[in-house]
Amino acid sequence: MTRTLRALLASVALCLVPVTATAQAADNSQPGAILLADDVRLMADDRLVASGNVEAMYGDQRLQAKTITYDRKTDTLTIEGPIILQQGDSTLVLADDAELDREMRNGLLTGARVVLQNEVQLAANAMVTVEGRYSQLYRTAVTSCRICETGRPPLWQIRAQKVIHDREERQLYFSNAQLRVMDVPVFYLPRLRLPDPSLERATGFLLPSFINSTLVGTGLKLPYFIRLGDHRDLTLTPFLTTKTRTLEMRYRQAFRNGDLLIRGAVTDDDFGSKSKRGYLFAAGRFDLKRDFVLNFDIEVASDDSYLFDYGYSYKDWLDSEISIERARRDEYIRGALTYYHSQRVGQSNATLPTIVGNAEYEKRLYPHRLGGELRLGAQAHGHYRSSDLRTDGTDLDPWADGRDVMRFTFSADWLRNWTLASGVIAEVRTGLAVDSFHVTQGGGLGASSATQVTPSTAVQLRWPFLKTSAKGVMQVIEPVAQLSWTGGSNPLIPNDESTRIEFDEGNLFSISRYPAPDRRERGLNAAYGVQWTRLDPDGWQASLAMGQVYRDTREIDANGVPSLTESSGLQDKFSDILLAGQYKSDTGLTLTARGLFDDGFAATKAEARASWYTDRTSLSGTYIWLRSDFAEDRVEDVSEWSITGSYRLARHWTGTANLRYDVARDTRVSSGVGLKYTNECVELSVNASRWYSSSTILQETTDITFTVALLGFTAKTDTSSYTRTCKN
């Protein structure tokens, strides 16, 4: 009965809407007005009075009130509250009383409170709306903190004589603004502009950071964000301390076919090797025609310690590269030019391959008569040293310091597999590769040019076993064996590309485990291993892999010297035993470990990682062990572990800590602790870190950083769990 009455009254109300409103609805420029109420009366003085659960809708606005009186002569609405006015999806207005025009675009609201994006609240004595775009609020208090009926002031608020909200530009303009913390005035600005919460990018200041460092001094970072359009922006960050003056910069631009990011800084200090210091990092990616992709990055610094001193990067090597590549289902093309710069102590960039060029092409074909897959490949590689020396310098490299190398490789491989009746999967692979090398400034210790033809073939057998229990536990055991042969011998040329060999479960069954074709594993080789996997329906899983390589003769180079390093695990006829395992649970725990063990089961290389992630805890740790190996420039053992974690101590408090420790040297590398408080309107964080250095160019430093963020505008909390609740 009530629903029928409300529908009837709505129809009557629509009939009473002025003709102009009906005409607007007819041409679709504006929607018609809708009025719903428990009681609607047409008075003798040409007034329409609606009362009892009144709702009025016009365009994207919806009004709820106790009583609405429409005066046709003045074309105005007189509204008695409490009033709830919803403007679109982002603005909610609460008021005591109001007087508005028929379209609810102009008028006055008293006792108004505006809620933007459920984040920011503006409370004012009165609010004037102009053309549905501007809202002028007088004697206003603005905050994003939860306000409870306890009489206590919010944690922070901005008091202003007048605030103008531009709904179209999504900006808030303050006049005579005063920042208050716990109702205590702490800052005054005659003019202030802030974006409303719906605007993600707006010109203005970002979160400041207060920094105290034993190296760079005590100072302030105050980023200023400049919106240059819908697709680009610039952030300038003055960093002023007692010991340094720095201007940081970040530029971003999005294009229709890619994006660009540039970061850099310029510094004037008195503790570096130069008074004027700086760095520039740039990276970009662009989609080209015919599915090609252009990538480039630039990394340059004024001196080798600048990035470490200011914490911009901890890379030992800076690399700048430009590349073009295309990856399709059966084709891959890539060309790249890279410039390297070493920041390590004792290394000379003149005698290192600083300019490296690479080009590669691979094509997959599927011949019908042969069956299987045919892979055709071509590579070109070259590296250049700026040194002009033709004989060995002061380092221990037996080759010339200024040598430059060019390599061309062409290869063809045919692969085919069969599934035998017993369930064994057999795979056959055979191929031919041609490598051509050209060496300049080689010092006369090796050939200036060499060409090597390398035939190869391999047969691999896999026999997977699958078992599923009555409880749904599935286990897979797969033994694998491979026999391979590679002909030819490695030419007498310097080894510049394959100086580091990694032996793991990823290349256990490769024909050659060298990372580049300037070296290949020759002769007869056998590899065997087994992998076990268990999948439990309760949500956890585990896997374990073991393998070993056997060759008929030890791998030696043209000078009769073993070409595989001692710590590679591959130097002897029988390689070290490879072990790798992983465990993952549904509680967020992940354990991963791998290692190489010699015949006495002593570790040659080993690493272990553990992580645990829950709603309150984030913990990860890594341990690494490397045996000393002069051939890999490691004069002593490496034993190091690092731990990083965070724990949500309480609803609003989160603690963090990290530690990196060098076990071999019995010394700490770095450490840090932090504490963060977060609620719906503020985030306070303090972090202390310590860097321990044994380098001659890097200094030990202790940094303390304090950051304050007023949330609710463009900065928001990650989750609503930080929002405070009011007690009844």
PDB file of all heavy atoms in Angstrom, residues 56-63 84-93 103-105 114-118 132 165 167 198:
ATOM      1  N   ALA A  56      14.507  13.841  -3.367  1.00  0.00           N
ATOM      2  CA  ALA A  56      14.468  14.566  -4.633  1.00  0.00           C
ATOM      3  C   ALA A  56      15.705  14.203  -5.436  1.00  0.00           C
ATOM      4  O   ALA A  56      16.822  14.186  -4.894  1.00  0.00           O
ATOM      5  CB  ALA A  56      14.408  16.071  -4.397  1.00  0.00           C
ATOM      6  N   MET A  57      15.535  13.902  -6.718  1.00  0.00           N
ATOM      7  CA  MET A  57      16.645  13.503  -7.577  1.00  0.00           C
ATOM      8  C   MET A  57      16.643  14.350  -8.834  1.00  0.00           C
ATOM      9  O   MET A  57      15.597  14.527  -9.472  1.00  0.00           O
ATOM     10  CB  MET A  57      16.527  12.020  -7.943  1.00  0.00           C
ATOM     11  CG  MET A  57      16.859  11.077  -6.793  1.00  0.00           C
ATOM     12  SD  MET A  57      16.200   9.419  -7.026  1.00  0.00           S
ATOM     13  CE  MET A  57      14.491   9.652  -6.521  1.00  0.00           C
ATOM     14  N   TYR A  58      17.843  14.878  -9.141  1.00  0.00           N
ATOM     15  CA  TYR A  58      18.001  15.675 -10.353  1.00  0.00           C
ATOM     16  C   TYR A  58      19.425  15.477 -10.857  1.00  0.00           C
ATOM     17  O   TYR A  58      20.390  15.807 -10.170  1.00  0.00           O
ATOM     18  CB  TYR A  58      17.732  17.158 -10.077  1.00  0.00           C
ATOM     19  CG  TYR A  58      17.721  17.995 -11.343  1.00  0.00           C
ATOM     20  CD1 TYR A  58      16.573  18.093 -12.113  1.00  0.00           C
ATOM     21  CD2 TYR A  58      18.857  18.660 -11.754  1.00  0.00           C
ATOM     22  CE1 TYR A  58      16.556  18.845 -13.277  1.00  0.00           C
ATOM     23  CE2 TYR A  58      18.857  19.408 -12.921  1.00  0.00           C
ATOM     24  CZ  TYR A  58      17.697  19.504 -13.682  1.00  0.00           C
ATOM     25  OH  TYR A  58      17.689  20.233 -14.839  1.00  0.00           O
ATOM     26  N   GLY A  59      19.555  14.919 -12.062  1.00  0.00           N
ATOM     27  CA  GLY A  59      20.893  14.650 -12.595  1.00  0.00           C
ATOM     28  C   GLY A  59      21.607  13.620 -11.730  1.00  0.00           C
ATOM     29  O   GLY A  59      21.058  12.564 -11.404  1.00  0.00           O
ATOM     30  N   ASP A  60      22.863  13.945 -11.322  1.00  0.00           N
ATOM     31  CA  ASP A  60      23.637  13.036 -10.479  1.00  0.00           C
ATOM     32  C   ASP A  60      23.503  13.379  -9.008  1.00  0.00           C
ATOM     33  O   ASP A  60      24.293  12.934  -8.187  1.00  0.00           O
ATOM     34  CB  ASP A  60      25.116  13.065 -10.883  1.00  0.00           C
ATOM     35  CG  ASP A  60      25.750  14.433 -10.652  1.00  0.00           C
ATOM     36  OD1 ASP A  60      24.993  15.410 -10.438  1.00  0.00           O
ATOM     37  OD2 ASP A  60      26.997  14.521 -10.680  1.00  0.00           O
ATOM     38  N   GLN A  61      22.469  14.183  -8.660  1.00  0.00           N
ATOM     39  CA  GLN A  61      22.274  14.606  -7.278  1.00  0.00           C
ATOM     40  C   GLN A  61      21.035  13.933  -6.689  1.00  0.00           C
ATOM     41  O   GLN A  61      20.008  13.788  -7.361  1.00  0.00           O
ATOM     42  CB  GLN A  61      22.126  16.127  -7.192  1.00  0.00           C
ATOM     43  CG  GLN A  61      23.330  16.877  -7.753  1.00  0.00           C
ATOM     44  CD  GLN A  61      23.186  18.367  -7.542  1.00  0.00           C
ATOM     45  OE1 GLN A  61      23.620  18.913  -6.541  1.00  0.00           O
ATOM     46  NE2 GLN A  61      22.544  19.030  -8.501  1.00  0.00           N
ATOM     47  N   ARG A  62      21.176  13.549  -5.427  1.00  0.00           N
ATOM     48  CA  ARG A  62      20.067  12.927  -4.709  1.00  0.00           C
ATOM     49  C   ARG A  62      19.971  13.565  -3.333  1.00  0.00           C
ATOM     50  O   ARG A  62      20.943  13.570  -2.570  1.00  0.00           O
ATOM     51  CB  ARG A  62      20.289  11.424  -4.587  1.00  0.00           C
ATOM     52  CG  ARG A  62      19.177  10.709  -3.847  1.00  0.00           C
ATOM     53  CD  ARG A  62      19.344   9.215  -3.928  1.00  0.00           C
ATOM     54  NE  ARG A  62      18.265   8.517  -3.244  1.00  0.00           N
ATOM     55  CZ  ARG A  62      18.058   7.211  -3.314  1.00  0.00           C
ATOM     56  NH1 ARG A  62      18.876   6.473  -4.059  1.00  0.00           N
ATOM     57  NH2 ARG A  62      17.066   6.658  -2.669  1.00  0.00           N
ATOM     58  N   LEU A  63      18.788  14.090  -3.036  1.00  0.00           N
ATOM     59  CA  LEU A  63      18.572  14.854  -1.804  1.00  0.00           C
ATOM     60  C   LEU A  63      17.554  14.142  -0.921  1.00  0.00           C
ATOM     61  O   LEU A  63      16.501  13.715  -1.394  1.00  0.00           O
ATOM     62  CB  LEU A  63      18.077  16.263  -2.139  1.00  0.00           C
ATOM     63  CG  LEU A  63      17.729  17.167  -0.953  1.00  0.00           C
ATOM     64  CD1 LEU A  63      19.001  17.574  -0.219  1.00  0.00           C
ATOM     65  CD2 LEU A  63      16.966  18.400  -1.422  1.00  0.00           C
ATOM     66  N   ILE A  84      20.538  15.317   3.645  1.00  0.00           N
ATOM     67  CA  ILE A  84      21.608  14.483   3.080  1.00  0.00           C
ATOM     68  C   ILE A  84      21.583  14.693   1.577  1.00  0.00           C
ATOM     69  O   ILE A  84      20.599  14.348   0.911  1.00  0.00           O
ATOM     70  CB  ILE A  84      21.418  12.995   3.413  1.00  0.00           C
ATOM     71  CG1 ILE A  84      21.385  12.777   4.923  1.00  0.00           C
ATOM     72  CG2 ILE A  84      22.536  12.163   2.782  1.00  0.00           C
ATOM     73  CD1 ILE A  84      21.104  11.334   5.324  1.00  0.00           C
ATOM     74  N   LEU A  85      22.655  15.272   1.024  1.00  0.00           N
ATOM     75  CA  LEU A  85      22.751  15.556  -0.403  1.00  0.00           C
ATOM     76  C   LEU A  85      23.937  14.790  -0.976  1.00  0.00           C
ATOM     77  O   LEU A  85      25.088  15.035  -0.601  1.00  0.00           O
ATOM     78  CB  LEU A  85      22.921  17.057  -0.646  1.00  0.00           C
ATOM     79  CG  LEU A  85      23.154  17.497  -2.103  1.00  0.00           C
ATOM     80  CD1 LEU A  85      21.973  17.083  -2.979  1.00  0.00           C
ATOM     81  CD2 LEU A  85      23.383  18.999  -2.190  1.00  0.00           C
ATOM     82  N   GLN A  86      23.632  13.850  -1.877  1.00  0.00           N
ATOM     83  CA  GLN A  86      24.671  13.071  -2.534  1.00  0.00           C
ATOM     84  C   GLN A  86      24.917  13.656  -3.912  1.00  0.00           C
ATOM     85  O   GLN A  86      24.016  13.686  -4.759  1.00  0.00           O
ATOM     86  CB  GLN A  86      24.248  11.603  -2.651  1.00  0.00           C
ATOM     87  CG  GLN A  86      25.288  10.707  -3.300  1.00  0.00           C
ATOM     88  CD  GLN A  86      26.469  10.421  -2.393  1.00  0.00           C
ATOM     89  OE1 GLN A  86      26.295  10.086  -1.224  1.00  0.00           O
ATOM     90  NE2 GLN A  86      27.671  10.567  -2.934  1.00  0.00           N
ATOM     91  N   GLN A  87      26.172  14.132  -4.154  1.00  0.00           N
ATOM     92  CA  GLN A  87      26.547  14.709  -5.444  1.00  0.00           C
ATOM     93  C   GLN A  87      27.498  13.750  -6.152  1.00  0.00           C
ATOM     94  O   GLN A  87      28.678  13.679  -5.820  1.00  0.00           O
ATOM     95  CB  GLN A  87      27.209  16.081  -5.254  1.00  0.00           C
ATOM     96  CG  GLN A  87      26.290  17.110  -4.612  1.00  0.00           C
ATOM     97  CD  GLN A  87      27.000  18.422  -4.339  1.00  0.00           C
ATOM     98  OE1 GLN A  87      28.173  18.444  -3.980  1.00  0.00           O
ATOM     99  NE2 GLN A  87      26.279  19.514  -4.507  1.00  0.00           N
ATOM    100  N   GLY A  88      26.977  13.005  -7.108  1.00  0.00           N
ATOM    101  CA  GLY A  88      27.795  12.016  -7.798  1.00  0.00           C
ATOM    102  C   GLY A  88      28.201  10.891  -6.864  1.00  0.00           C
ATOM    103  O   GLY A  88      27.510  10.574  -5.890  1.00  0.00           O
ATOM    104  N   ASP A  89      29.347  10.286  -7.147  1.00  0.00           N
ATOM    105  CA  ASP A  89      29.833   9.174  -6.337  1.00  0.00           C
ATOM    106  C   ASP A  89      30.872   9.599  -5.313  1.00  0.00           C
ATOM    107  O   ASP A  89      31.297   8.781  -4.494  1.00  0.00           O
ATOM    108  CB  ASP A  89      30.452   8.094  -7.239  1.00  0.00           C
ATOM    109  CG  ASP A  89      29.433   7.491  -8.193  1.00  0.00           C
ATOM    110  OD1 ASP A  89      28.244   7.427  -7.814  1.00  0.00           O
ATOM    111  OD2 ASP A  89      29.836   7.105  -9.311  1.00  0.00           O
ATOM    112  N   SER A  90      31.301  10.866  -5.351  1.00  0.00           N
ATOM    113  CA  SER A  90      32.444  11.250  -4.541  1.00  0.00           C
ATOM    114  C   SER A  90      32.143  12.257  -3.443  1.00  0.00           C
ATOM    115  O   SER A  90      32.957  12.427  -2.535  1.00  0.00           O
ATOM    116  CB  SER A  90      33.556  11.827  -5.436  1.00  0.00           C
ATOM    117  OG  SER A  90      33.091  12.973  -6.123  1.00  0.00           O
ATOM    118  N   THR A  91      30.989  12.949  -3.490  1.00  0.00           N
ATOM    119  CA  THR A  91      30.726  14.035  -2.544  1.00  0.00           C
ATOM    120  C   THR A  91      29.412  13.790  -1.813  1.00  0.00           C
ATOM    121  O   THR A  91      28.376  13.544  -2.441  1.00  0.00           O
ATOM    122  CB  THR A  91      30.677  15.397  -3.264  1.00  0.00           C
ATOM    123  OG1 THR A  91      31.892  15.588  -3.990  1.00  0.00           O
ATOM    124  CG2 THR A  91      30.502  16.524  -2.265  1.00  0.00           C
ATOM    125  N   LEU A  92      29.485  13.895  -0.485  1.00  0.00           N
ATOM    126  CA  LEU A  92      28.308  13.783   0.374  1.00  0.00           C
ATOM    127  C   LEU A  92      28.222  15.041   1.217  1.00  0.00           C
ATOM    128  O   LEU A  92      29.196  15.421   1.885  1.00  0.00           O
ATOM    129  CB  LEU A  92      28.410  12.545   1.266  1.00  0.00           C
ATOM    130  CG  LEU A  92      27.275  12.340   2.271  1.00  0.00           C
ATOM    131  CD1 LEU A  92      25.963  12.046   1.545  1.00  0.00           C
ATOM    132  CD2 LEU A  92      27.607  11.212   3.242  1.00  0.00           C
ATOM    133  N   VAL A  93      27.044  15.694   1.199  1.00  0.00           N
ATOM    134  CA  VAL A  93      26.835  16.930   1.948  1.00  0.00           C
ATOM    135  C   VAL A  93      25.741  16.699   2.985  1.00  0.00           C
ATOM    136  O   VAL A  93      24.652  16.214   2.651  1.00  0.00           O
ATOM    137  CB  VAL A  93      26.448  18.092   1.012  1.00  0.00           C
ATOM    138  CG1 VAL A  93      26.252  19.372   1.822  1.00  0.00           C
ATOM    139  CG2 VAL A  93      27.514  18.297  -0.055  1.00  0.00           C
ATOM    140  N   GLU A 103      17.313  23.175  -9.655  1.00  0.00           N
ATOM    141  CA  GLU A 103      18.270  22.182 -10.124  1.00  0.00           C
ATOM    142  C   GLU A 103      19.306  21.833  -9.064  1.00  0.00           C
ATOM    143  O   GLU A 103      20.218  21.058  -9.329  1.00  0.00           O
ATOM    144  CB  GLU A 103      18.980  22.709 -11.383  1.00  0.00           C
ATOM    145  CG  GLU A 103      18.031  22.951 -12.534  1.00  0.00           C
ATOM    146  CD  GLU A 103      18.745  23.545 -13.741  1.00  0.00           C
ATOM    147  OE1 GLU A 103      19.957  23.819 -13.625  1.00  0.00           O
ATOM    148  OE2 GLU A 103      18.099  23.725 -14.781  1.00  0.00           O
ATOM    149  N   MET A 104      19.154  22.429  -7.865  1.00  0.00           N
ATOM    150  CA  MET A 104      20.053  22.180  -6.731  1.00  0.00           C
ATOM    151  C   MET A 104      21.513  22.477  -7.096  1.00  0.00           C
ATOM    152  O   MET A 104      22.435  21.819  -6.645  1.00  0.00           O
ATOM    153  CB  MET A 104      19.919  20.734  -6.230  1.00  0.00           C
ATOM    154  CG  MET A 104      18.563  20.435  -5.646  1.00  0.00           C
ATOM    155  SD  MET A 104      18.399  18.759  -4.965  1.00  0.00           S
ATOM    156  CE  MET A 104      18.335  17.787  -6.460  1.00  0.00           C
ATOM    157  N   ARG A 105      21.716  23.501  -7.953  1.00  0.00           N
ATOM    158  CA  ARG A 105      23.060  23.889  -8.367  1.00  0.00           C
ATOM    159  C   ARG A 105      23.523  25.177  -7.696  1.00  0.00           C
ATOM    160  O   ARG A 105      24.715  25.448  -7.636  1.00  0.00           O
ATOM    161  CB  ARG A 105      23.098  24.067  -9.889  1.00  0.00           C
ATOM    162  CG  ARG A 105      22.893  22.776 -10.663  1.00  0.00           C
ATOM    163  CD  ARG A 105      22.733  23.033 -12.148  1.00  0.00           C
ATOM    164  NE  ARG A 105      23.819  23.813 -12.730  1.00  0.00           N
ATOM    165  CZ  ARG A 105      24.967  23.292 -13.149  1.00  0.00           C
ATOM    166  NH1 ARG A 105      25.169  21.978 -13.045  1.00  0.00           N
ATOM    167  NH2 ARG A 105      25.904  24.049 -13.673  1.00  0.00           N
ATOM    168  N   VAL A 114      30.760  18.488   4.571  1.00  0.00           N
ATOM    169  CA  VAL A 114      31.005  17.856   3.289  1.00  0.00           C
ATOM    170  C   VAL A 114      31.994  16.712   3.500  1.00  0.00           C
ATOM    171  O   VAL A 114      33.030  16.884   4.155  1.00  0.00           O
ATOM    172  CB  VAL A 114      31.570  18.865   2.263  1.00  0.00           C
ATOM    173  CG1 VAL A 114      31.802  18.181   0.916  1.00  0.00           C
ATOM    174  CG2 VAL A 114      30.628  20.050   2.107  1.00  0.00           C
ATOM    175  N   VAL A 115      31.680  15.544   2.939  1.00  0.00           N
ATOM    176  CA  VAL A 115      32.552  14.374   3.008  1.00  0.00           C
ATOM    177  C   VAL A 115      32.970  14.032   1.584  1.00  0.00           C
ATOM    178  O   VAL A 115      32.118  13.764   0.733  1.00  0.00           O
ATOM    179  CB  VAL A 115      31.850  13.178   3.673  1.00  0.00           C
ATOM    180  CG1 VAL A 115      32.812  11.990   3.763  1.00  0.00           C
ATOM    181  CG2 VAL A 115      31.336  13.557   5.056  1.00  0.00           C
ATOM    182  N   LEU A 116      34.287  14.043   1.321  1.00  0.00           N
ATOM    183  CA  LEU A 116      34.831  13.779   0.000  1.00  0.00           C
ATOM    184  C   LEU A 116      35.467  12.397  -0.036  1.00  0.00           C
ATOM    185  O   LEU A 116      36.392  12.122   0.742  1.00  0.00           O
ATOM    186  CB  LEU A 116      35.872  14.834  -0.381  1.00  0.00           C
ATOM    187  CG  LEU A 116      35.412  16.294  -0.349  1.00  0.00           C
ATOM    188  CD1 LEU A 116      36.574  17.226  -0.659  1.00  0.00           C
ATOM    189  CD2 LEU A 116      34.271  16.528  -1.325  1.00  0.00           C
ATOM    190  N   GLN A 117      34.985  11.539  -0.916  1.00  0.00           N
ATOM    191  CA  GLN A 117      35.556  10.202  -1.132  1.00  0.00           C
ATOM    192  C   GLN A 117      35.625   9.378   0.157  1.00  0.00           C
ATOM    193  O   GLN A 117      36.489   8.521   0.302  1.00  0.00           O
ATOM    194  CB  GLN A 117      36.957  10.311  -1.721  1.00  0.00           C
ATOM    195  CG  GLN A 117      37.032  10.834  -3.139  1.00  0.00           C
ATOM    196  CD  GLN A 117      36.560   9.832  -4.166  1.00  0.00           C
ATOM    197  OE1 GLN A 117      35.519  10.017  -4.770  1.00  0.00           O
ATOM    198  NE2 GLN A 117      37.327   8.787  -4.369  1.00  0.00           N
ATOM    199  N   ASN A 118      34.749   9.661   1.109  1.00  0.00           N
ATOM    200  CA  ASN A 118      34.768   8.982   2.410  1.00  0.00           C
ATOM    201  C   ASN A 118      36.108   9.145   3.116  1.00  0.00           C
ATOM    202  O   ASN A 118      36.480   8.316   3.964  1.00  0.00           O
ATOM    203  CB  ASN A 118      34.454   7.483   2.255  1.00  0.00           C
ATOM    204  CG  ASN A 118      33.027   7.238   1.814  1.00  0.00           C
ATOM    205  OD1 ASN A 118      32.113   7.941   2.242  1.00  0.00           O
ATOM    206  ND2 ASN A 118      32.845   6.262   0.948  1.00  0.00           N
ATOM    207  N   GLY A 132      26.662  24.495  -9.436  1.00  0.00           N
ATOM    208  CA  GLY A 132      26.926  23.079  -9.251  1.00  0.00           C
ATOM    209  C   GLY A 132      28.389  22.714  -9.303  1.00  0.00           C
ATOM    210  O   GLY A 132      28.747  21.542  -9.167  1.00  0.00           O
ATOM    211  N   HIS A 165      35.737  24.734  -2.863  1.00  0.00           N
ATOM    212  CA  HIS A 165      35.926  23.420  -3.493  1.00  0.00           C
ATOM    213  C   HIS A 165      35.474  23.504  -4.936  1.00  0.00           C
ATOM    214  O   HIS A 165      34.297  23.758  -5.223  1.00  0.00           O
ATOM    215  CB  HIS A 165      35.126  22.350  -2.748  1.00  0.00           C
ATOM    216  CG  HIS A 165      35.271  20.984  -3.360  1.00  0.00           C
ATOM    217  ND1 HIS A 165      34.249  20.047  -3.356  1.00  0.00           N
ATOM    218  CD2 HIS A 165      36.312  20.398  -4.026  1.00  0.00           C
ATOM    219  CE1 HIS A 165      34.658  18.954  -3.964  1.00  0.00           C
ATOM    220  NE2 HIS A 165      35.899  19.143  -4.387  1.00  0.00           N
ATOM    221  N   ARG A 167      34.674  21.425  -7.935  1.00  0.00           N
ATOM    222  CA  ARG A 167      34.381  20.034  -8.253  1.00  0.00           C
ATOM    223  C   ARG A 167      34.918  19.640  -9.620  1.00  0.00           C
ATOM    224  O   ARG A 167      35.284  18.483  -9.832  1.00  0.00           O
ATOM    225  CB  ARG A 167      32.872  19.792  -8.212  1.00  0.00           C
ATOM    226  CG  ARG A 167      32.255  19.879  -6.826  1.00  0.00           C
ATOM    227  CD  ARG A 167      30.779  19.556  -6.883  1.00  0.00           C
ATOM    228  NE  ARG A 167      30.523  18.216  -7.389  1.00  0.00           N
ATOM    229  CZ  ARG A 167      29.340  17.769  -7.772  1.00  0.00           C
ATOM    230  NH1 ARG A 167      28.279  18.587  -7.723  1.00  0.00           N
ATOM    231  NH2 ARG A 167      29.185  16.539  -8.211  1.00  0.00           N
ATOM    232  N   SER A 198      39.751  12.719  -4.692  1.00  0.00           N
ATOM    233  CA  SER A 198      39.500  12.011  -5.947  1.00  0.00           C
ATOM    234  C   SER A 198      40.575  12.273  -6.992  1.00  0.00           C
ATOM    235  O   SER A 198      40.630  11.584  -8.007  1.00  0.00           O
ATOM    236  CB  SER A 198      38.138  12.419  -6.514  1.00  0.00           C
ATOM    237  OG  SER A 198      38.129  13.793  -6.863  1.00  0.00           O
TER     238      SER A 198
END
